[in-house]
């Protein structure tokens, strides 16, 4: 009988201990639009975190990208959102912070690992408060078919003169469309065109900040000249480019029928799975040899703390880990083409991704000029730049008209703060 009682007491002690351990376990849920990344989080990122923090269990709960903005807002307002909120860049997340839905993260350990440019997409206009941990950016440039370059006997261009000489060589050869891009969907004309090459003209952050301050206008030469360069692309985009969609352009390149693709780094993973030729990449060519180079290294994704989370301390532990070099390396190599914004350099295992990220060593980085502050009004500057960039390439609008139209739209609602 004594043995039975002793056994029961021991069993009770074990159960009590297990219950105590279980009670200390915290469950965190991450809201996200990146449903493509579900396997990465389940198989790589979450196990790495839980190995260091066994009492914190994390669930990655993504939804369809097109539904995310409205759905996560509804959940936040209803008090049913997860502990961690994946942050879109700029105004959408800023609005959440201003409503009190996202917590300030200025004092979070690890935030010192990010520059002001890295934090700019998730910081208040006055620069005082950051409310999401920067996770990744996308970089713009050009992806090219290495076999095509060898076949035609051209080198990677460093200046605009060399760039157009390469395009001309492919046009004369006739076996490849020199460059794969259409204007039907409009957004590529700005995103992979104007925003790609423009920073070399308006000097990246210098020009972008001057536009916000009102000391530069979209009718100034440094904002108009890139349209003039885009207008010259028309001769090299192949027949019928005006009716060519974004998927058409992707297929044209990955099937080996085009030599160059004006790109965002998000193309790396899908292109690698579809193309059967070796690819390289080069940054936007500078206007003249020896010029300082600038690249669009655009903040794309961050993660913040639901201000009403019941598990704030555990969520902050997770966010500090997201701010660490360990996470930076893990995420960037799991999703090649989405580059860490952490100041600690990450070596990419994917050669094409490493080529893109290596440009940060020699070039100044900037974000898209329409993204912050000047993109809030109606007409929307981003959408206007899509439209005029496509029209300039199509030849239905002059570069000067493009500058005048976008500045007129901006003037109709935006008054720079003095």
């Amino acid at each position: 009988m004594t043995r039975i009682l002793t056994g029961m007491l021991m069993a009770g002690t074990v159960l009590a201990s297990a219950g105590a351990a279980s009670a200390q376990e915290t469950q965190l849920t991450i809201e996200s639009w990146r449903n493509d990344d579900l396997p990465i989080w389940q198989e790589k990122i979450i196990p790495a975190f839980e190995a260091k923090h066994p009492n914190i269990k994390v669930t990655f709960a993504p939804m369809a990208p097109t539904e995310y903005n409205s759905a996560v807002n509804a959940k936040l307002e209803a008090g049913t959102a997860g502990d961690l909120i994946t942050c879109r860049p700029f105004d959408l997340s800023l609005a959440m912070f201003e409503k009190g839905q996202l917590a300030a993260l200025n004092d979070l350990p690890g935030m010192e690992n990010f520059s002001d440019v890295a934090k700019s997409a998730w910081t208040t206009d006055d620069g005082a408060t950051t409310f999401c941990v920067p996770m990744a950016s996308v970089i713009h440039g050009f992806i090219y078919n290495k076999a095509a370059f060898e076949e035609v006997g051209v080198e990677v261009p460093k200046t605009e003169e060399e760039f157009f000489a390469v395009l001309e060589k492919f046009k004369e050869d006739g076996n490849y469309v020199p460059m794969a891009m259409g204007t039907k969907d409009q957004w590529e004309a700005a995103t992979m065109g104007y925003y790609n090459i423009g920073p070399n003209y308006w000097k990246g952050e210098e020009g972008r900040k001057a536009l916000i301050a009102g000391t530069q206008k979209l009718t100034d030469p440094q904002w108009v000249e890139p349209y003039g360069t885009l207008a010259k692309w028309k001769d090299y985009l192949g027949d019928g480019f005006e009716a060519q969609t974004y998927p058409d352009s992707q297929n044209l390149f990955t099937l080996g029928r085009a030599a160059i693709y004006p790109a965002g780094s998000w193309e790396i993973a899908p292109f690698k799975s579809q193309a059967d030729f070796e690819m390289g990449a080069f940054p936007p060519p500078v206007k003249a040899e020896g010029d300082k180079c600038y690249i669009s290294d655009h903040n794309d994704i961050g993660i913040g703390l639901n201000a009403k989370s019941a598990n704030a301390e555990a969520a902050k532990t997770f966010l500090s880990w997201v701010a660490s070099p360990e996470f930076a390396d893990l995420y960037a190599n799991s999703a090649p083409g989405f580059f860490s914004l952490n100041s600690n350099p990450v070596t990419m295992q994917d050669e094409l991704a490493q080529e893109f990220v290596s440009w940060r060593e020699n070039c100044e980085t900037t974000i898209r000029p329409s993204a912050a502050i000047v993109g809030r009004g109606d007409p929307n500057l981003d959408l206007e730049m899509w439209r005029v960039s496509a029209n300039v390439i199509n030849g239905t609008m002059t570069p000067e008209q493009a500058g005048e139209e976008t500045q007129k739209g901006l003037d109709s609602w935006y008054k720079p703060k003095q």
Side-chain angles (χ1 to χ4, degrees):
M1 186 69 179
T2 306
R3 284 184 183 175
I4 293 169
L5 284 169
T6 304
M8 288 172 70
L9 285 167
M10 288 176 66
T13 305
V14 170
L15 285 168
S17 301
S22 173
Q24 291 171 355
E25 191 175 278
T26 305
Q27 298 281 342
L28 296 177
T29 301
I30 302 173
E31 304 281 7
S32 178
W33 71 88
R34 291 289 307 165
N35 48 13
D36 288 351
D37 291 351
L38 185 59
I40 293 167
W41 283 88
Q42 289 180 333
E43 296 163 20
K44 296 182 180 179
I45 296 171
I46 291 171
F49 173 77
E50 290 180 351
K52 292 193 167 184
H53 303 277
N55 290 332
I56 302 175
K57 300 300 176 190
V58 182
T59 301
F60 185 72
M63 56 189 86
T66 52
E67 297 167 8
Y68 182 74
N69 295 355
S70 57
V72 81
N73 269 311
K75 289 172 85 170
L76 283 164
E77 285 170 14
T80 59
D83 307 278
L84 296 154
I85 310 295
T86 305
C87 301
R88 299 273 198 192
F90 303 103
D91 293 346
L92 288 164
S93 297
L94 178 61
M96 290 178 185
F97 173 71
E98 289 175 340
K99 286 181 195 170
Q101 295 170 338
L102 290 175
L105 298 177
N106 286 358
D107 299 328
L108 184 82
M111 289 302 278
E112 68 277 4
N113 291 331
F114 301 97
S115 70
D116 288 344
V117 174
K119 293 185 288 189
S120 63
W122 304 286
T123 297
T124 51
D125 290 354
D126 60 7
T129 306
T130 300
F131 44 84
C132 298
V133 177
M135 279 172 60
S137 70
V138 288
I139 296 176
H140 292 282
F142 297 83
I143 296 175
Y144 69 97
N145 181 331
K146 283 190 172 183
F149 268 52
E150 288 174 19
E151 189 181 317
V152 176
V154 292
E155 300 286 328
V156 169
K158 291 186 172 62
T159 65
E160 285 192 355
E161 185 180 351
E162 292 170 355
F163 179 69
F164 283 104
V166 167
L167 292 174
E168 191 62 35
K169 202 85 184 281
F170 277 109
K171 188 177 179 182
E172 289 169 6
D173 177 73
N175 285 321
Y176 298 90
V177 174
M179 193 155 59
M181 195 186 80
T183 55
K184 182 176 173 57
D185 295 336
Q186 295 192 342
W187 71 270
E188 305 101 295
T191 307
M192 279 92 105
Y194 191 67
Y195 301 159
N196 189 352
I197 66 170
N200 278 330
Y201 290 80
W202 59 71
K203 297 185 178 177
E205 286 294 277
E206 181 184 314
R208 186 184 74 83
K209 289 178 176 176
L211 187 66
I212 292 169
T215 56
Q216 288 186 21
K217 290 190 175 292
L218 296 168
T219 48
D220 290 344
Q222 64 270 35
W223 293 93
V224 173
E225 285 174 17
Y227 290 120
T229 303
L230 284 188
K232 292 162 64 178
W233 284 18
K234 180 180 182 178
D235 294 339
Y236 306 104
L237 300 179
D239 295 336
F241 72 86
E242 299 93 340
Q244 190 170 302
T245 65
Y246 174 54
D248 292 336
S249 302
Q250 291 174 306
N251 291 336
L252 192 66
F253 183 72
T254 56
L255 291 170
R257 290 165 51 202
I260 297 172
Y261 184 93
S265 58
W266 60 83
E267 306 285 10
I268 292 173
F271 277 14
K272 281 288 187 79
S273 67
Q274 292 160 13
D276 62 0
F277 52 86
E278 194 178 348
M279 291 172 283
F282 58 88
V286 293
K287 288 199 286 181
E289 193 172 349
D291 282 358
K292 181 74 182 167
C293 61
Y294 297 82
I295 56 169
S296 177
D297 188 355
H298 189 71
N299 298 352
D300 191 63
I301 186 169
I303 187 165
L305 170 61
N306 179 349
K308 293 180 180 171
S309 168
N311 306 305
E313 287 310 308
K316 285 179 181 177
T317 299
F318 182 81
L319 289 171
S320 276
W321 181 73
V322 171
S324 72
E326 180 190 0
F327 175 86
D329 186 87
L330 190 61
Y331 186 75
N333 278 302
S334 298
F338 291 87
F339 299 107
S340 167
L341 286 161
N342 199 298
S343 299
N344 294 278
V346 172
T347 301
M348 304 299 300
Q349 290 153 15
D350 182 280
E351 284 185 23
L352 193 56
Q354 179 57 33
E355 177 58 45
F356 270 89
V357 83
S358 72
W359 305 338
R360 288 175 173 173
E361 295 169 20
N362 301 312
C363 302
E364 295 286 337
T365 61
T366 185
I367 56 178
R368 295 172 197 159
S370 60
I373 301 174
V374 291
R376 288 177 187 163
D378 184 20
N380 179 273
L381 183 59
D382 196 31
L383 298 181
E384 285 290 277
M385 284 180 164
W386 293 6
R387 180 177 64 82
V388 301
S389 296
N391 287 344
V392 165
I393 295 171
N394 290 344
T396 59
M397 182 180 281
T398 67
E400 291 73 23
Q401 287 170 330
E404 286 163 12
E405 286 206 17
T406 49
Q407 185 60 47
K408 182 181 176 184
L410 190 58
D411 285 340
S412 72
W413 68 267
Y414 181 66
K415 301 293 179 279
K417 291 177 183 171
Q418 299 304 320

